[in-house]
mmCIF file of all heavy atoms in Angstrom:
data_model
loop_
_atom_site.group_PDB
_atom_site.id
_atom_site.type_symbol
_atom_site.label_atom_id
_atom_site.label_comp_id
_atom_site.label_asym_id
_atom_site.label_seq_id
_atom_site.Cartn_x
_atom_site.Cartn_y
_atom_site.Cartn_z
ATOM 1 N N ALA A 978 -1.757 -1.780 13.050
ATOM 2 C CA ALA A 978 -2.230 -2.140 14.401
ATOM 3 C C ALA A 978 -3.275 -1.113 14.883
ATOM 4 O O ALA A 978 -4.243 -1.457 15.598
ATOM 5 C CB ALA A 978 -1.077 -2.254 15.358
ATOM 6 N N TYR A 979 -3.093 0.141 14.464
ATOM 7 C CA TYR A 979 -4.062 1.243 14.832
ATOM 8 C C TYR A 979 -5.343 1.181 13.900
ATOM 9 O O TYR A 979 -6.226 1.916 14.186
ATOM 10 C CB TYR A 979 -3.437 2.587 14.760
ATOM 11 C CG TYR A 979 -2.531 2.935 15.927
ATOM 12 C CD1 TYR A 979 -1.176 3.165 15.732
ATOM 13 C CD2 TYR A 979 -3.069 3.027 17.169
ATOM 14 C CE1 TYR A 979 -0.336 3.506 16.766
ATOM 15 C CE2 TYR A 979 -2.180 3.303 18.271
ATOM 16 C CZ TYR A 979 -0.850 3.530 18.059
ATOM 17 O OH TYR A 979 -0.030 3.846 19.120
ATOM 18 N N GLY A 980 -5.299 0.364 12.845
ATOM 19 C CA GLY A 980 -6.520 0.256 12.043
ATOM 20 C C GLY A 980 -6.351 0.499 10.582
ATOM 21 O O GLY A 980 -7.324 0.324 9.808
ATOM 22 N N GLN A 981 -5.176 0.927 10.068
ATOM 23 C CA GLN A 981 -5.049 1.193 8.602
ATOM 24 C C GLN A 981 -5.242 -0.131 7.879
ATOM 25 O O GLN A 981 -4.723 -1.178 8.254
ATOM 26 C CB GLN A 981 -3.630 1.715 8.326
ATOM 27 C CG GLN A 981 -3.377 1.921 6.823
ATOM 28 C CD GLN A 981 -1.945 2.377 6.540
ATOM 29 O OE1 GLN A 981 -1.100 2.465 7.399
ATOM 30 N NE2 GLN A 981 -1.726 2.636 5.257
ATOM 31 N N THR A 982 -6.005 -0.055 6.780
ATOM 32 C CA THR A 982 -6.266 -1.248 5.987
ATOM 33 C C THR A 982 -5.678 -1.237 4.558
ATOM 34 O O THR A 982 -5.459 -2.280 4.024
ATOM 35 C CB THR A 982 -7.787 -1.466 5.816
ATOM 36 O OG1 THR A 982 -8.340 -0.248 5.221
ATOM 37 C CG2 THR A 982 -8.475 -1.817 7.125
ATOM 38 N N VAL A 983 -5.317 -0.058 4.065
ATOM 39 C CA VAL A 983 -4.805 0.066 2.689
ATOM 40 C C VAL A 983 -3.611 0.905 2.606
ATOM 41 O O VAL A 983 -3.547 2.010 3.158
ATOM 42 C CB VAL A 983 -5.891 0.654 1.719
ATOM 43 C CG1 VAL A 983 -5.332 0.707 0.300
ATOM 44 C CG2 VAL A 983 -7.185 -0.148 1.806
ATOM 45 N N MET A 984 -2.526 0.309 2.019
ATOM 46 C CA MET A 984 -1.312 1.097 1.745
ATOM 47 C C MET A 984 -1.132 1.097 0.216
ATOM 48 O O MET A 984 -1.341 0.062 -0.420
ATOM 49 C CB MET A 984 -0.068 0.355 2.312
ATOM 50 C CG MET A 984 -0.143 0.230 3.816
ATOM 51 S SD MET A 984 1.137 -0.986 4.476
ATOM 52 C CE MET A 984 0.397 -2.477 4.099
ATOM 53 N N ILE A 985 -0.814 2.266 -0.328
ATOM 54 C CA ILE A 985 -0.647 2.440 -1.760
ATOM 55 C C ILE A 985 0.735 3.041 -2.050
ATOM 56 O O ILE A 985 1.054 4.074 -1.458
ATOM 57 C CB ILE A 985 -1.738 3.359 -2.375
ATOM 58 C CG1 ILE A 985 -3.138 2.892 -1.924
ATOM 59 C CG2 ILE A 985 -1.594 3.491 -3.860
ATOM 60 C CD1 ILE A 985 -4.189 3.905 -1.993
ATOM 61 N N GLY A 986 1.519 2.430 -2.903
ATOM 62 C CA GLY A 986 2.813 2.943 -3.185
ATOM 63 C C GLY A 986 3.458 2.159 -4.326
ATOM 64 O O GLY A 986 2.688 1.714 -5.213
ATOM 65 N N LYS A 987 4.735 1.986 -4.259
ATOM 66 C CA LYS A 987 5.455 1.140 -5.270
ATOM 67 C C LYS A 987 6.679 0.520 -4.630
ATOM 68 O O LYS A 987 7.223 1.037 -3.681
ATOM 69 C CB LYS A 987 5.917 2.003 -6.507
ATOM 70 C CG LYS A 987 7.014 2.996 -6.189
ATOM 71 C CD LYS A 987 7.455 3.833 -7.409
ATOM 72 C CE LYS A 987 8.591 4.757 -7.008
ATOM 73 N NZ LYS A 987 9.072 5.499 -8.146
ATOM 74 N N GLY A 988 6.950 -0.671 -5.164
ATOM 75 C CA GLY A 988 8.132 -1.345 -4.663
ATOM 76 C C GLY A 988 7.859 -2.389 -3.626
ATOM 77 O O GLY A 988 6.762 -2.553 -3.107
ATOM 78 N N LEU A 989 8.979 -3.095 -3.271
ATOM 79 C CA LEU A 989 8.846 -4.280 -2.316
ATOM 80 C C LEU A 989 8.580 -3.808 -0.896
ATOM 81 O O LEU A 989 8.806 -2.616 -0.537
ATOM 82 C CB LEU A 989 10.223 -4.968 -2.311
ATOM 83 C CG LEU A 989 10.701 -5.534 -3.709
ATOM 84 C CD1 LEU A 989 12.156 -5.992 -3.561
ATOM 85 C CD2 LEU A 989 9.771 -6.545 -4.226
ATOM 86 N N ARG A 990 8.047 -4.725 -0.110
ATOM 87 C CA ARG A 990 7.798 -4.564 1.319
ATOM 88 C C ARG A 990 8.537 -5.602 2.069
ATOM 89 O O ARG A 990 8.743 -6.715 1.627
ATOM 90 C CB ARG A 990 6.290 -4.672 1.649
ATOM 91 C CG ARG A 990 5.390 -3.748 0.859
ATOM 92 C CD ARG A 990 5.773 -2.240 0.831
ATOM 93 N NE ARG A 990 5.849 -1.609 2.098
ATOM 94 C CZ ARG A 990 4.889 -0.959 2.667
ATOM 95 N NH1 ARG A 990 3.677 -0.886 2.046
ATOM 96 N NH2 ARG A 990 4.990 -0.333 3.861
ATOM 97 N N ASN A 991 8.938 -5.338 3.316
ATOM 98 C CA ASN A 991 9.699 -6.306 4.075
ATOM 99 C C ASN A 991 8.774 -7.340 4.755
ATOM 100 O O ASN A 991 7.546 -7.165 4.815
ATOM 101 C CB ASN A 991 10.671 -5.650 5.020
ATOM 102 C CG ASN A 991 10.016 -4.924 6.227
ATOM 103 O OD1 ASN A 991 8.960 -5.363 6.706
ATOM 104 N ND2 ASN A 991 10.691 -3.935 6.752
ATOM 105 N N GLU A 992 9.427 -8.336 5.315
ATOM 106 C CA GLU A 992 8.576 -9.482 5.975
ATOM 107 C C GLU A 992 7.803 -8.955 7.154
ATOM 108 O O GLU A 992 6.686 -9.478 7.384
ATOM 109 C CB GLU A 992 9.523 -10.586 6.352
ATOM 110 C CG GLU A 992 9.825 -11.499 5.219
ATOM 111 C CD GLU A 992 8.592 -12.124 4.513
ATOM 112 O OE1 GLU A 992 7.678 -12.671 5.207
ATOM 113 O OE2 GLU A 992 8.564 -12.036 3.237
ATOM 114 N N ASP A 993 8.315 -7.997 7.946
ATOM 115 C CA ASP A 993 7.543 -7.519 9.051
ATOM 116 C C ASP A 993 6.220 -6.856 8.605
ATOM 117 O O ASP A 993 5.145 -7.035 9.252
ATOM 118 C CB ASP A 993 8.343 -6.469 9.847
ATOM 119 C CG ASP A 993 9.475 -7.134 10.629
ATOM 120 O OD1 ASP A 993 9.486 -8.351 10.868
ATOM 121 O OD2 ASP A 993 10.461 -6.364 11.015
ATOM 122 N N VAL A 994 6.288 -6.120 7.552
ATOM 123 C CA VAL A 994 5.045 -5.513 6.941
ATOM 124 C C VAL A 994 4.116 -6.569 6.505
ATOM 125 O O VAL A 994 2.881 -6.523 6.785
ATOM 126 C CB VAL A 994 5.442 -4.525 5.827
ATOM 127 C CG1 VAL A 994 4.195 -4.014 5.122
ATOM 128 C CG2 VAL A 994 6.264 -3.351 6.367
ATOM 129 N N ILE A 995 4.630 -7.547 5.769
ATOM 130 C CA ILE A 995 3.745 -8.629 5.259
ATOM 131 C C ILE A 995 3.103 -9.402 6.369
ATOM 132 O O ILE A 995 1.926 -9.671 6.337
ATOM 133 C CB ILE A 995 4.518 -9.531 4.244
ATOM 134 C CG1 ILE A 995 4.921 -8.715 3.049
ATOM 135 C CG2 ILE A 995 3.728 -10.732 3.835
ATOM 136 C CD1 ILE A 995 5.937 -9.367 2.112
ATOM 137 N N GLU A 996 3.851 -9.725 7.425
ATOM 138 C CA GLU A 996 3.279 -10.418 8.580
ATOM 139 C C GLU A 996 2.234 -9.562 9.266
ATOM 140 O O GLU A 996 1.169 -10.086 9.701
ATOM 141 C CB GLU A 996 4.353 -10.841 9.527
ATOM 142 C CG GLU A 996 5.263 -11.977 9.037
ATOM 143 C CD GLU A 996 4.448 -13.226 8.725
ATOM 144 O OE1 GLU A 996 3.568 -13.672 9.491
ATOM 145 O OE2 GLU A 996 4.661 -13.812 7.598
ATOM 146 N N ALA A 997 2.417 -8.296 9.357
ATOM 147 C CA ALA A 997 1.419 -7.389 9.959
ATOM 148 C C ALA A 997 0.147 -7.337 9.085
ATOM 149 O O ALA A 997 -0.964 -7.286 9.643
ATOM 150 C CB ALA A 997 2.017 -5.991 10.141
ATOM 151 N N MET A 998 0.355 -7.379 7.789
ATOM 152 C CA MET A 998 -0.803 -7.370 6.850
ATOM 153 C C MET A 998 -1.619 -8.639 7.095
ATOM 154 O O MET A 998 -2.913 -8.540 7.137
ATOM 155 C CB MET A 998 -0.313 -7.310 5.389
ATOM 156 C CG MET A 998 0.296 -5.969 5.032
ATOM 157 S SD MET A 998 1.049 -6.038 3.383
ATOM 158 C CE MET A 998 -0.318 -6.423 2.363
ATOM 159 N N LYS A 999 -0.989 -9.772 7.251
ATOM 160 C CA LYS A 999 -1.717 -11.025 7.476
ATOM 161 C C LYS A 999 -2.459 -10.955 8.802
ATOM 162 O O LYS A 999 -3.656 -11.387 8.936
ATOM 163 C CB LYS A 999 -0.775 -12.195 7.380
ATOM 164 C CG LYS A 999 -0.251 -12.447 5.992
ATOM 165 C CD LYS A 999 0.965 -13.311 5.777
ATOM 166 C CE LYS A 999 1.287 -14.420 6.618
ATOM 167 N NZ LYS A 999 2.427 -15.191 6.258
ATOM 168 N N LYS A 1000 -1.830 -10.487 9.833
ATOM 169 C CA LYS A 1000 -2.397 -10.372 11.145
ATOM 170 C C LYS A 1000 -3.582 -9.378 11.173
ATOM 171 O O LYS A 1000 -4.616 -9.640 11.766
ATOM 172 C CB LYS A 1000 -1.325 -9.926 12.216
ATOM 173 C CG LYS A 1000 -1.865 -9.777 13.579
ATOM 174 C CD LYS A 1000 -0.789 -9.298 14.514
ATOM 175 C CE LYS A 1000 -1.344 -8.991 15.858
ATOM 176 N NZ LYS A 1000 -0.385 -8.354 16.779
ATOM 177 N N GLU A 1001 -3.402 -8.219 10.564
ATOM 178 C CA GLU A 1001 -4.311 -7.118 10.698
ATOM 179 C C GLU A 1001 -5.393 -7.129 9.576
ATOM 180 O O GLU A 1001 -6.341 -6.290 9.687
ATOM 181 C CB GLU A 1001 -3.625 -5.757 10.726
ATOM 182 C CG GLU A 1001 -2.672 -5.642 11.862
ATOM 183 C CD GLU A 1001 -3.216 -5.728 13.302
ATOM 184 O OE1 GLU A 1001 -4.471 -5.535 13.408
ATOM 185 O OE2 GLU A 1001 -2.492 -5.926 14.236
ATOM 186 N N GLY A 1002 -5.207 -7.877 8.485
ATOM 187 C CA GLY A 1002 -6.197 -7.868 7.435
ATOM 188 C C GLY A 1002 -6.031 -6.623 6.549
ATOM 189 O O GLY A 1002 -7.032 -6.045 6.115
ATOM 190 N N ALA A 1003 -4.852 -6.285 6.216
ATOM 191 C CA ALA A 1003 -4.551 -5.127 5.384
ATOM 192 C C ALA A 1003 -4.024 -5.523 4.020
ATOM 193 O O ALA A 1003 -3.635 -6.692 3.849
ATOM 194 C CB ALA A 1003 -3.542 -4.166 6.068
ATOM 195 N N VAL A 1004 -4.080 -4.660 3.045
ATOM 196 C CA VAL A 1004 -3.564 -4.884 1.648
ATOM 197 C C VAL A 1004 -2.617 -3.792 1.220
ATOM 198 O O VAL A 1004 -2.660 -2.705 1.708
ATOM 199 C CB VAL A 1004 -4.722 -5.044 0.652
ATOM 200 C CG1 VAL A 1004 -5.567 -6.238 0.931
ATOM 201 C CG2 VAL A 1004 -5.519 -3.765 0.585
ATOM 202 N N TYR A 1005 -1.734 -4.212 0.324
ATOM 203 C CA TYR A 1005 -0.804 -3.372 -0.290
ATOM 204 C C TYR A 1005 -1.155 -3.236 -1.781
ATOM 205 O O TYR A 1005 -1.153 -4.266 -2.515
ATOM 206 C CB TYR A 1005 0.651 -3.787 -0.125
ATOM 207 C CG TYR A 1005 1.660 -3.031 -0.827
ATOM 208 C CD1 TYR A 1005 1.813 -1.624 -0.669
ATOM 209 C CD2 TYR A 1005 2.599 -3.658 -1.671
ATOM 210 C CE1 TYR A 1005 2.735 -0.841 -1.350
ATOM 211 C CE2 TYR A 1005 3.605 -2.885 -2.303
ATOM 212 C CZ TYR A 1005 3.686 -1.526 -2.147
ATOM 213 O OH TYR A 1005 4.662 -0.810 -2.824
ATOM 214 N N LEU A 1006 -1.434 -1.980 -2.195
ATOM 215 C CA LEU A 1006 -1.749 -1.765 -3.628
ATOM 216 C C LEU A 1006 -0.639 -0.971 -4.268
ATOM 217 O O LEU A 1006 -0.014 -0.116 -3.641
ATOM 218 C CB LEU A 1006 -3.085 -0.914 -3.733
ATOM 219 C CG LEU A 1006 -4.234 -1.448 -2.937
ATOM 220 C CD1 LEU A 1006 -5.444 -0.517 -3.071
ATOM 221 C CD2 LEU A 1006 -4.642 -2.861 -3.400
ATOM 222 N N THR A 1007 -0.374 -1.243 -5.543
ATOM 223 C CA THR A 1007 0.681 -0.516 -6.245
ATOM 224 C C THR A 1007 -0.014 0.405 -7.250
ATOM 225 O O THR A 1007 -0.955 0.011 -7.911
ATOM 226 C CB THR A 1007 1.564 -1.520 -7.051
ATOM 227 O OG1 THR A 1007 2.269 -2.304 -6.132
ATOM 228 C CG2 THR A 1007 2.619 -0.754 -7.809
ATOM 229 N N ALA A 1008 0.432 1.652 -7.233
ATOM 230 C CA ALA A 1008 0.117 2.676 -8.230
ATOM 231 C C ALA A 1008 1.326 2.722 -9.137
ATOM 232 O O ALA A 1008 2.422 2.524 -8.743
ATOM 233 C CB ALA A 1008 -0.174 3.999 -7.630
ATOM 234 N N ILE A 1009 1.099 3.001 -10.441
ATOM 235 C CA ILE A 1009 2.145 2.942 -11.405
ATOM 236 C C ILE A 1009 3.128 4.128 -11.258
ATOM 237 O O ILE A 1009 2.709 5.265 -11.355
ATOM 238 C CB ILE A 1009 1.541 2.869 -12.846
ATOM 239 C CG1 ILE A 1009 0.608 1.665 -12.978
ATOM 240 C CG2 ILE A 1009 2.681 2.842 -13.915
ATOM 241 C CD1 ILE A 1009 1.204 0.351 -12.667
ATOM 242 N N GLY A 1010 4.399 3.803 -10.962
ATOM 243 C CA GLY A 1010 5.355 4.780 -10.928
ATOM 244 C C GLY A 1010 5.656 5.460 -12.224
ATOM 245 O O GLY A 1010 5.512 4.829 -13.286
ATOM 246 N N GLY A 1011 5.952 6.750 -12.227
ATOM 247 C CA GLY A 1011 6.227 7.470 -13.500
ATOM 248 C C GLY A 1011 4.966 7.983 -14.107
ATOM 249 O O GLY A 1011 5.078 8.639 -15.180
ATOM 250 N N ALA A 1012 3.842 7.709 -13.560
ATOM 251 C CA ALA A 1012 2.576 8.149 -14.105
ATOM 252 C C ALA A 1012 1.858 9.216 -13.218
ATOM 253 O O ALA A 1012 0.618 9.271 -13.258
ATOM 254 C CB ALA A 1012 1.655 6.990 -14.429
ATOM 255 N N GLY A 1013 2.645 9.942 -12.495
ATOM 256 C CA GLY A 1013 2.042 10.881 -11.518
ATOM 257 C C GLY A 1013 1.115 11.927 -12.150
ATOM 258 O O GLY A 1013 0.075 12.330 -11.584
ATOM 259 N N ALA A 1014 1.390 12.422 -13.337
ATOM 260 C CA ALA A 1014 0.540 13.353 -14.020
ATOM 261 C C ALA A 1014 -0.787 12.760 -14.395
ATOM 262 O O ALA A 1014 -1.845 13.406 -14.274
ATOM 263 C CB ALA A 1014 1.219 13.941 -15.241
ATOM 264 N N LEU A 1015 -0.754 11.503 -14.827
ATOM 265 C CA LEU A 1015 -1.998 10.812 -15.132
ATOM 266 C C LEU A 1015 -2.805 10.521 -13.926
ATOM 267 O O LEU A 1015 -4.072 10.645 -13.915
ATOM 268 C CB LEU A 1015 -1.687 9.549 -16.009
ATOM 269 C CG LEU A 1015 -1.184 9.761 -17.395
ATOM 270 C CD1 LEU A 1015 -0.777 8.470 -18.013
ATOM 271 C CD2 LEU A 1015 -2.257 10.499 -18.241
ATOM 272 N N LEU A 1016 -2.131 10.001 -12.880
ATOM 273 C CA LEU A 1016 -2.838 9.708 -11.612
ATOM 274 C C LEU A 1016 -3.467 10.944 -11.087
ATOM 275 O O LEU A 1016 -4.555 10.872 -10.436
ATOM 276 C CB LEU A 1016 -1.821 9.060 -10.627
ATOM 277 C CG LEU A 1016 -1.271 7.673 -10.974
ATOM 278 C CD1 LEU A 1016 -0.145 7.275 -10.031
ATOM 279 C CD2 LEU A 1016 -2.459 6.668 -10.960
ATOM 280 N N ALA A 1017 -2.858 12.081 -11.202
ATOM 281 C CA ALA A 1017 -3.422 13.289 -10.685
ATOM 282 C C ALA A 1017 -4.818 13.616 -11.245
ATOM 283 O O ALA A 1017 -5.596 14.230 -10.598
ATOM 284 C CB ALA A 1017 -2.428 14.507 -10.912
ATOM 285 N N LYS A 1018 -5.029 13.218 -12.461
ATOM 286 C CA LYS A 1018 -6.369 13.404 -13.089
ATOM 287 C C LYS A 1018 -7.499 12.702 -12.417
ATOM 288 O O LYS A 1018 -8.623 12.984 -12.559
ATOM 289 C CB LYS A 1018 -6.327 13.025 -14.566
ATOM 290 C CG LYS A 1018 -5.346 13.915 -15.343
ATOM 291 C CD LYS A 1018 -5.320 13.568 -16.825
ATOM 292 C CE LYS A 1018 -4.310 14.477 -17.496
ATOM 293 N NZ LYS A 1018 -4.577 14.630 -18.885
ATOM 294 N N CYS A 1019 -7.111 11.667 -11.578
ATOM 295 C CA CYS A 1019 -8.142 10.931 -10.804
ATOM 296 C C CYS A 1019 -8.462 11.628 -9.466
ATOM 297 O O CYS A 1019 -9.291 11.144 -8.726
ATOM 298 C CB CYS A 1019 -7.654 9.449 -10.547
ATOM 299 S SG CYS A 1019 -7.333 8.590 -12.102
ATOM 300 N N ILE A 1020 -7.628 12.606 -9.144
ATOM 301 C CA ILE A 1020 -7.802 13.290 -7.836
ATOM 302 C C ILE A 1020 -8.720 14.517 -8.115
ATOM 303 O O ILE A 1020 -8.373 15.425 -8.859
ATOM 304 C CB ILE A 1020 -6.484 13.724 -7.290
ATOM 305 C CG1 ILE A 1020 -5.603 12.509 -7.060
ATOM 306 C CG2 ILE A 1020 -6.626 14.583 -6.037
ATOM 307 C CD1 ILE A 1020 -4.141 12.758 -6.716
ATOM 308 N N LYS A 1021 -9.888 14.506 -7.456
ATOM 309 C CA LYS A 1021 -10.900 15.502 -7.693
ATOM 310 C C LYS A 1021 -10.775 16.666 -6.702
ATOM 311 O O LYS A 1021 -11.290 17.755 -6.961
ATOM 312 C CB LYS A 1021 -12.312 14.903 -7.613
ATOM 313 C CG LYS A 1021 -12.530 13.722 -8.663
ATOM 314 C CD LYS A 1021 -12.123 14.209 -10.098
ATOM 315 C CE LYS A 1021 -12.157 13.066 -11.062
ATOM 316 N NZ LYS A 1021 -11.634 13.417 -12.317
#
């Protein structure tokens, strides 16, 4: 509601979150769990 458009994490989201996404135009992206060392290589 304050303006966030992208959430990145892992796992399920509840219905309140999904309804807010539809209302606000936001998306939920999944990053692969267990790959934290590899993901860190993308952080500059």
Side-chain angles (χ1 to χ4, degrees):
Y979 283 118
Q981 178 185 4
T982 53
V983 179
M984 298 168 283
I985 307 159
K987 68 177 182 181
L989 303 172
R990 306 310 300 271
N991 72 29
E992 278 305 311
D993 290 340
V994 172
I995 295 169
E996 287 304 311
M998 290 170 62
K999 291 166 29 179
K1000 178 183 177 190
E1001 302 296 344
V1004 294
Y1005 174 53
L1006 309 177
T1007 298
I1009 304 303
L1015 291 173
L1016 292 170
K1018 293 181 182 205
C1019 299
I1020 300 169
K1021 304 306 175 190

